[in-house]
Amino acid sequence: NPVTMKGKRFFDSITGEYFPVKGIAYYPRPNEGALSITNSVDFFTDDFRDLWEPDIENLRQLGVNTIRIYAVDPSQNHDNFMCALQEAGIYVIIGLLADCENCGIGPGQAPSCYPPALKNRGQWIINTFSKYGNTLVFSAGNEVTLYAANREIALNAPCQKKFLRDMRAYVQKCSAVPASILPRQVPVGMVNWDFERTLQTLYFNCRTDPSDKLENAEWYGLNSYQHCDRSAV
């Protein structure tokens, strides 16, 4: 069943049961060869079925209920991949950005860090994946401020927040239209790196305009960098 958000938690939209996310980030890039040097290959099409099909069965046996994927190409067909996951009871967190040209937030100062083509890309991915009942959420960014020039997070953070708002506005507007290509409102949020944790969490989850209900992330993930042996840091 599609999953919905209530407050800060996920719930089955039909049974009402709490849905605890248990899974992994999944990007089956090889360790060597031509495909090992890029982060922009869509591995989730039929061309790579020999990779993901056995992996999905292994993930099912491990008890995984959610995977997070990257670099999807909205011009390609993902029906078999998403249906295989559906049969395995696995939901998907879909990334809207990639490393290809004009596919992500840049390192420079706002507003130049938000390429015009990115908005269309994000909307296209939302169109493509909203139809799948096992699309859990959309991620409007992954550690975007990590790549800011000289690690000055204030440079491109506004671009990340603007893109986030644009995607939320698109989902809200289009899903409200009868017979729309968006059959439901899939939550839009983001994932961040573990730096200035409190500052960045407040920035992306709060509203500078209290009346703007689309400005903040609907969900927020943190890539928490922690070691069992602190001496290894």
Side-chain angles (χ1 to χ4, degrees), residues 49 52-53 56-57 60 79-91 134:
R49 189 166 189 158
W52 53 256
E53 194 164 51
I56 289 175
E57 174 58 23
R60 185 192 66 80
D79 287 352
N80 288 325
F81 174 71
M82 295 297 290
C83 287
L85 290 168
Q86 177 86 20
E87 292 175 357
I90 297 176
Y91 292 81
N134 58 331

Side-chain angles (χ1 to χ4, degrees), residues 24-119:
I24 65 168
Y26 179 64
Y27 193 64
R29 180 181 54 207
N31 292 324
E32 57 185 17
L35 295 179
S36 67
I37 59 175
T38 178
N39 292 321
S40 295
V41 176
D42 185 343
F43 286 106
F44 315 109
T45 66
D46 288 352
D47 290 341
F48 297 97
R49 189 166 189 158
D50 60 326
L51 288 178
W52 53 256
E53 194 164 51
D55 284 349
I56 289 175
E57 174 58 23
N58 292 332
L59 293 170
R60 185 192 66 80
Q61 293 184 24
L62 287 170
V64 166
N65 69 14
T66 305
I67 61 171
R68 177 181 167 206
I69 64 174
Y70 309 80
V72 295
D73 179 353
S75 70
Q76 302 298 311
N77 187 287
H78 300 86
D79 287 352
N80 288 325
F81 174 71
M82 295 297 290
C83 287
L85 290 168
Q86 177 86 20
E87 292 175 357
I90 297 176
Y91 292 81
V92 191
I93 298 172
I94 310 289
L96 300 180
L97 306 184
D99 286 349
C100 48
E101 186 176 359
N102 295 324
C103 296
I105 303 296
Q109 189 168 12
S112 63
C113 48
Y114 187 168
L118 180 58
K119 185 176 182 179

